[in-house]
Amino acid sequence: MATPTVTTGTLVVFGLIGVALVLFVTEWLSPDITAIGILVSLVVFEPYTNVPPADAIGGFASSATVTIIAMYILSAGIQETGIVDRLGLYLARLTKGSDRKLLGATVGTTGISAGIINNTPVVAVFIPMITGLAEKSRISPSKLLLPLSYAAMLGGTLTLIGTSTNILASDLSRDLAAQSPQQYPSLHAFSMFEFTPVGIVVLLVGIAYLMTIGRRLTPARIEPTADLTAEFDLDDHLSRVSVREGSPLVGHVIGEADEMIESELDIELDLLQVERDAETYFADSDHRLEIDDVLLVRSTLQDLNRVTEAFDLRQRPRDGVEAVDLSGTDEPGTLVEAITLPESRLIGRTISETKLGERFDTTVLAIRRGETLLQSGLGDVVIGAGDTLLLQSTPEAIEYLDETGAVVVTQRAKSDRPHPDAPPDDVAPLSPKTPIALGIMAGVIGLAALDLLPIVIAALGGVFAMVATGCLRANEAYDAVSWNVIFLLAGVIPLGVAMQRTGGAELIAELLVQSADVLPVFAVLVLFYVLTGLLANVITPVASVVLLVPIAAETASSIGAKALTFVMVVMFAASSAFMTPIGYQTNLMVYGPGGYKFTDYLRVGAPLQALLSVVATATIVLYFGV
């Protein structure tokens, strides 16, 4: 192959990729917004990038994008049946308090489920379930949550619909084959179970690692029996005070008393609830304060001293506050731990700007951001993706925030969560639509596997059937889609197109081809696996697949190897973003609830990624040839 010429268009595209990499890594803008900015830039520089407007927005009409939208909705239909929630009961019976059995059941069940259902909702359902089982077994939830995320990623390699990167790689493979059938005779759109044998090996090796070496490397960051308030270190921020006879708060409803204190002293204080005799009233109650009422408040000790002096209140230093005190009110109140995913509408807004208190009677008591705990000055804290919030609210408000995707509830205070030993009757019954939903999902998989319909049409047909049969409402279907992932996907697809049209893919491929002069083909494949995995950890798996699939195919063609094998290596490597919490959404979901440090992902994930770079590559070579 002749050395490709470096054109102005190539330099422009490389420049845009460089800007995208910086924005992806620094997270100055969210990845989906960055992708849209790149899309616009490709059109602005059309004379150099050869990407006209119609091609730039083609990512939104891509069969991969549409298929991924449909799979989100189908996964939500399965989740609504309640069948995944029931797994907690069966896992509790199976493990019987054994930490090794619980770990094995967690990674095994998650891995298999993630091959059929989108792994994000699987992890969302499993986090509270696994946390509850860990508490019962007196195991730190940190020992289970990171393996949970990794198992979900490994399970995604089992089938075409296991993860969005599989669907995208299949789509790119089909497009390359259509553009250059003679250059890429081995490429085609992948079938449902075409690479399942490789996925099984990857999953089994990954589980073996997580059960042995990974088990020892995974830290126990959170105490196994930690009270929610203790987890967030709120001992010095939650207090009880009693109302004396001369207090100006007497006769005011709770909400008025809260406003009086904050307006007069200009401090941050939350009056959470009132205890009167044997009864407890939630903060939004219309009860008026009386003498000897006990107020449970959140504030710093310094502010508490100012309040008690200004409003004639008496501190009760011996009365500690625990999670059970905040979730056992006579008027409904609940204490929960919840995380914010990248698509949450709360992201980028301060706690004050969200108006959670005014609109939802919800108080943010503390925030965990990785290993950092924030307990004061919360009003000005900007919420970020992966933040873990400790919330006191009403069950109805929490349910609404969870259903709308504002937060994902990962743990509830003890008195508000069903006991893991609860009999089946205490578990929510399966939906009457369960057989229909399962039948629809099986039909979609069967039609695609037998090549009776393209996967995109089969999936859309499944969406229609889910809504038409009442398994999902139309608004639930729209809410099920992670639109940030869709916009990221649609935005980066034209970047891959520009790489090919300007010769950028050919140029990088030529540089990699030179390594084949001194390395065997297997080593070149491992090099692609490592490169893809590293990029997936910092710029998302979707972006790494878009950039590297064309380069991998070009490289294979240049050295006389099988392009399909190279593309498969890139696809599998994109599902191994184990080394950072930002590499994959499920990693971010367990970041806060597990109390992990950023380096924990590197310590546990790097050996796994290195192991799979050899195992996965070798298995792909044996199965698909070179």
Side-chain angles (χ1 to χ4, degrees):
M1 169 172 114
T3 302
T5 304
V6 180
T7 65
T8 304
T10 306
L11 295 175
V12 169
V13 171
F14 282 169
L16 291 176
I17 291 174
V19 171
L21 289 174
V22 170
L23 292 176
F24 280 138
V25 173
T26 61
E27 294 186 296
W28 182 67
L29 292 172
S30 62
D32 51 319
I33 299 302
T34 295
I36 295 303
I38 296 300
L39 181 156
V40 172
S41 300
L42 288 171
V43 177
V44 171
F45 294 105
E46 179 188 347
Y48 306 105
T49 63
N50 296 324
V51 179
D55 291 344
I57 63 174
F60 289 98
S62 162
S63 59
T65 305
V66 177
T67 303
I68 292 165
I69 291 174
M71 294 313 303
Y72 273 120
I73 297 172
L74 291 173
S75 296
I78 297 297
Q79 188 177 349
E80 285 294 313
T81 66
I83 197 167
V84 181
D85 298 88
R86 288 226 159 191
L87 285 174
L89 177 66
Y90 303 128
L91 289 181
R93 290 175 174 174
L94 176 66
T95 58
K96 297 180 180 178
S98 166
D99 59 343
R100 186 178 290 273
K101 287 183 179 179
L102 183 53
L103 177 60
T106 297
V107 295
T109 306
T110 306
I112 295 171
S113 301
I116 304 171
I117 309 171
N118 183 272
N119 49 23
T120 300
V122 169
V123 172
V125 171
F126 273 43
I127 287 175
M129 180 181 75
I130 295 303
T131 301
L133 291 174
E135 180 183 323
K136 177 198 169 189
S137 303
R138 296 184 177 276
I139 302 168
S140 169
S142 310
K143 299 290 287 184
L144 300 172
L145 293 178
L146 194 57
L148 168 69
S149 174
Y150 287 172
M153 296 164 68
L154 293 167
T157 64
L158 290 174
T159 66
L160 178 63
I161 61 174
T163 182
S164 58
T165 52
N166 297 351
I167 298 171
L168 177 58
S170 173
D171 210 47
L172 293 171
S173 176
R174 182 204 62 204
D175 290 346
L176 288 170
Q179 293 167 14
S180 306
Q182 294 182 338
Q183 185 179 3
Y184 306 122
S186 63
L187 291 186
H188 54 268
F190 307 150
S191 62
M192 181 65 69
F193 302 109
E194 182 169 354
F195 46 83
T196 298
V198 180
I200 291 173
V201 173
V202 168
L203 177 60
L204 291 177
V205 170
I207 288 177
Y209 169 85
L210 293 173
M211 293 291 295
T212 53
I213 299 172
R215 181 168 173 259
R216 293 182 177 86
L217 293 176
T218 305
R221 295 293 180 198
I222 293 179
E223 292 297 323
T225 57
D227 176 277
L228 266 180
T229 55
E231 280 186 30
F232 285 82
D233 196 18
L234 285 175
D235 288 348
D236 293 335
H237 293 79
L238 294 175
S239 310
R240 282 185 170 92
V241 296
S242 56
V243 181
R244 298 186 181 190
E245 185 175 355
S247 174
L249 302 181
V250 173
H252 291 278
V253 297
I254 298 174
E256 292 175 350
D258 202 349
E259 293 176 4
M260 286 175 60
I261 293 172
E262 290 199 16
S263 62
E264 185 167 326
L265 296 182
D266 190 26
I267 61 173
E268 181 182 309
L269 178 141
D270 292 308
L271 203 166
L272 304 175
Q273 58 193 41
V274 177
E275 299 169 348
R276 181 178 300 163
D277 298 326
E279 296 182 328
T280 304
Y281 304 114
F282 191 57
D284 68 342
S285 169
D286 58 1
H287 291 275
R288 296 186 179 276
L289 296 182
E290 298 178 1
I291 299 170
D292 294 331
D293 279 351
V294 176
L295 313 181
L296 202 157
V297 300
R298 183 196 73 85
S299 70
T300 64
L301 292 177
Q302 182 179 5
D303 287 343
L304 183 67
N305 290 333
R306 294 177 60 194
V307 170
T308 53
E309 182 178 348
F311 290 89
D312 200 8
L313 306 173
R314 181 170 64 87
Q315 295 188 35
R316 301 166 65 98
R318 295 184 180 180
D319 294 348
V321 180
E322 298 181 350
V324 66
D325 300 317
L326 292 166
S327 59
T329 55
D330 296 289
E331 296 180 349
T334 186
L335 185 70
V336 302
E337 176 190 79
I339 56 175
T340 53
L341 297 185
E343 63 267 25
S344 170
R345 65 176 185 272
L346 302 180
I347 301 298
R349 302 161 68 186
T350 65
I351 298 294
S352 299
E353 290 170 346
T354 63
K355 299 190 181 299
L356 288 171
E358 295 89 329
R359 297 177 58 193
F360 303 107
D361 296 318
T362 298
T363 302
V364 180
L365 302 179
I367 300 174
R368 183 191 296 120
R369 184 168 290 164
E371 58 183 306
T372 303
L373 281 174
L374 305 173
Q375 301 111 330
S376 59
L378 299 182
D380 296 326
V381 174
V382 178
I383 299 175
D387 282 353
T388 304
L389 314 178
L390 182 63
L391 306 174
Q392 191 203 28
S393 185
T394 63
E396 295 78 15
I398 290 297
E399 182 179 1
Y400 175 81
L401 292 171
D402 193 17
E403 288 183 350
T404 57
V407 298
V408 174
V409 175
T410 54
Q411 190 176 355
R412 299 175 185 268
K414 291 180 181 179
S415 62
D416 193 56
R417 182 174 60 235
H419 195 277
D421 280 335
D425 291 342
D426 289 351
V427 181
L430 291 177
S431 165
K433 302 287 186 179
T434 297
I436 300 174
L438 293 177
I440 292 170
M441 193 68 176
V444 170
I445 294 173
L447 288 170
L450 296 172
D451 285 330
L452 297 176
L453 283 176
I455 179 64
V456 61
I457 301 302
L460 287 175
V463 169
F464 171 79
M466 282 283 188
V467 177
T469 58
C471 295
L472 273 180
R473 293 192 296 271
N475 64 315
E476 291 174 332
Y478 288 114
D479 290 340
V481 180
S482 292
W483 292 105
N484 64 315
V485 175
I486 301 305
F487 275 85
L488 169 63
L489 180 63
V492 297
I493 284 177
L495 190 57
V497 173
M499 282 276 288
Q500 292 173 259
R501 292 182 180 176
T502 61
E506 188 180 358
L507 178 63
I508 297 177
E510 172 61 20
L511 296 175
L512 290 168
V513 164
Q514 294 176 11
S515 67
D517 294 336
V518 294
L519 296 174
V521 175
F522 180 78
V524 178
L525 285 166
V526 171
L527 183 63
F528 264 101
Y529 191 105
V530 172
L531 178 60
T532 306
L534 291 175
L535 284 177
N537 275 288
V538 294
I539 68 168
T540 76
V542 166
S544 64
V545 165
V546 168
L547 292 177
L548 290 178
V549 161
I551 295 171
E554 185 78 30
T555 302
S557 174
S558 300
I559 63 176
K562 198 173 183 179
L564 178 63
T565 300
F566 274 71
V567 171
M568 283 288 177
V569 165
V570 169
M571 184 186 76
F572 272 82
S575 294
S576 62
F578 303 123
M579 296 195 298
T580 67
I582 61 172
Y584 196 72
Q585 186 155 273
T586 58
N587 282 353
L588 195 60
M589 291 171 70
V590 301
Y591 188 35
Y596 298 115
K597 297 180 179 179
F598 197 97
T599 53
D600 292 335
Y601 289 82
L602 189 62
R603 183 172 69 172
V604 184
L608 177 58
Q609 196 152 339
L611 173 65
L612 291 179
S613 67
V614 177
V615 171
T617 303
T619 308
I620 292 169
V621 168
L622 289 173
Y623 191 73
F624 291 100
V626 290

